[in-house]
Amino acid sequence: MEHHNPRLQNLIDKYLKGKCNEEESEIVENFFESFSSRPDILDQLDPEKQHEIKRRIQKNVLNRISPTPVRKISMIKLTVAATVALFCISIAYQYLYKNSSLKNIEINLANGQQRHITLEDGTKITLNASSRIIYPNSFKDSSKREVILIGEAFFDVAKNPKKPFIIHTPRMEISVLGTAFNVRDYENERNAETALIRGKVSIWKTGHTDKKFILNPNEKFVLSNADIHNADIHNHVQSTKPKVVSLQYATVAVQPLVLSNQDGTALETEWMLKRMTIRDERLADIVLKLERMYGVEIQILSSKIAIQRFSATFENEDLDNILKALQTVNYFQIKKTGKNQIQLF
């Protein structure tokens, strides 16, 4: 049976002939892995093609295995990473690949990078480091404006009452008409957050459209994985108690934003000012932010050091000065092991 998406079918044929580049091969492999439990889709490929794709994927996985030491990755992180991969390809297939007349734009940023993007409807986006965004080049023939985000971005959405703007992330979906807000959903972080600066948004956990939340300005929606300690969801709460609701496999809360004592900026958007406020956070979590902001790799070699907690504010500061300042609070040693590589022990 011929596949209903000729573009994808052509890509599969090209893959089986060994003519795909790395990016095209990844699309085919992700598609096959993501829909391995969907016979209604995969049965449209003949069994011989299915077998050959599976064989090549297994071969590629074996080729990618390295004997060199790597950081320990918990099962929670592996599960989240797998969820992100499945989410991205399934959403992309559903909203982007289905309409072959649209040209889809994908931007991937490495650590240490930021980028300003203006969509054709006038919506302005600031994409943070280590983030990925996918969007069509035009919304003209669509009833909705939909984008995919993995990572963090600030959105200033152009108002259009006839076309809601919807953001899909691995753990959240956000619908707006015209407003400004920050979305954060990194696969290696405990929490996913949406912080509203202006306007109003409707938000829900991915797959739970029956339980929607409405955010007002200076509120944020926080979703925390159920198998991670719930205390993290209560960080940064001021005087108002958060509204906490338990959903399957996750806990969500609506909390007030935390504003900077310096200029009233929401801490959730300080990254755009090259500022970082730390409020009783573990060194392990601080390191993730530093890696993203400065484009470095930092390894913590001691679990005792990793759980040390710090509070501080840094703005336009050199990385060396930040590490030395943290070192004076709770001592640890710093060693540079290569270009953009640091060890803490």
Side-chain angles (χ1 to χ4, degrees), residues 109-114 129-130 274 290-296:
L109 297 188
N111 282 342
Q113 297 180 326
Q114 288 184 11
S130 191
K274 309 293 184 186
L290 294 176
E291 287 183 323
R292 214 169 280 142
M293 185 177 290
Y294 293 95
V296 298

Side-chain angles (χ1 to χ4, degrees), residues 195-208:
L196 183 61
I197 306 301
R198 184 183 73 245
K200 187 175 286 189
V201 304
S202 175
I203 184 169
W204 58 96
K205 179 182 179 291
T206 298
H208 287 260

Side-chain angles (χ1 to χ4, degrees), residues 44 66 84 109 145 147 188 213 216 251 253 312 315:
Q44 297 178 68
S66 169
V84 169
L109 297 188
R145 298 170 287 170
V147 303
N188 56 359
F213 297 80
N216 294 309
T251 301
E315 185 170 3

Side-chain angles (χ1 to χ4, degrees), residues 6-223:
R7 181 182 172 192
L8 185 59
Q9 182 65 56
N10 291 337
L11 203 57
I12 290 171
D13 291 339
K14 189 176 176 182
Y15 178 88
L16 292 173
K17 294 174 183 176
K19 294 182 178 180
C20 280
N21 59 32
E22 186 176 343
E23 182 180 357
E24 291 170 334
S25 295
E26 187 176 353
I27 289 173
V28 175
E29 291 172 6
N30 283 341
F31 170 80
F32 187 84
E33 291 174 332
S34 298
F35 293 104
S36 59
S37 61
R38 290 285 306 275
D40 56 316
I41 293 177
L42 287 184
D43 282 353
Q44 297 178 68
L45 299 176
D46 64 61
E48 189 176 332
K49 284 185 178 180
Q50 290 190 43
H51 176 76
E52 178 61 17
I53 293 174
K54 187 174 181 180
R55 187 190 67 80
R56 292 198 184 196
I57 291 172
Q58 290 172 339
K59 181 180 177 182
N60 289 340
V61 169
L62 289 173
N63 288 340
R64 290 169 190 160
I65 294 176
S66 169
T68 56
V70 296
R71 290 182 179 182
K72 290 183 179 179
I73 303 175
S74 68
M75 286 306 296
I76 291 171
K77 289 185 177 180
L78 284 173
T79 301
V80 174
T83 301
V84 169
L86 292 176
F87 154 81
C88 190
I89 192 66
S90 60
I91 291 294
Y93 179 84
Q94 183 178 354
Y95 294 105
L96 305 180
Y97 296 139
K98 276 173 69 173
N99 192 342
S100 57
S101 65
L102 290 178
K103 179 182 178 184
N104 304 305
I105 300 169
E106 179 174 339
I107 298 174
N108 290 277
L109 297 188
N111 282 342
Q113 297 180 326
Q114 288 184 11
R115 184 175 299 184
H116 298 283
I117 305 163
T118 301
L119 305 186
E120 61 91 27
D121 68 333
T123 293
K124 293 179 169 55
I125 301 171
T126 304
L127 189 64
N128 201 4
S130 191
S131 298
R132 179 184 186 186
I133 191 166
I134 306 173
Y135 57 92
N137 65 334
S138 174
F139 298 116
K140 290 179 181 176
D141 297 325
S142 304
S143 60
K144 295 178 282 190
R145 298 170 287 170
E146 299 185 87
V147 303
I148 299 168
L149 172 70
I150 299 174
E152 183 168 26
F154 183 85
F155 292 83
D156 193 344
V157 176
K159 193 169 184 177
N160 186 343
K162 296 181 180 179
K163 287 189 180 183
F165 194 98
I166 299 175
I167 301 163
H168 303 274
T169 84
R171 289 178 280 180
M172 301 180 293
E173 292 184 281
I174 306 106
S175 177
V176 305
L177 296 177
T179 183
F181 55 99
N182 194 78
V183 179
R184 182 185 185 97
D185 193 351
Y186 284 107
E187 63 181 281
N188 56 359
E189 291 190 349
R190 292 174 172 80
N191 296 340
E193 299 184 0
T194 294
L196 183 61
I197 306 301
R198 184 183 73 245
K200 187 175 286 189
V201 304
S202 175
I203 184 169
W204 58 96
K205 179 182 179 291
T206 298
H208 287 260
T209 55
D210 59 324
K211 189 64 178 179
K212 295 184 179 180
F213 297 80
I214 302 297
L215 289 187
N216 294 309
N218 292 328
E219 288 184 339
K220 69 176 179 180
F221 173 92
V222 183
L223 186 151

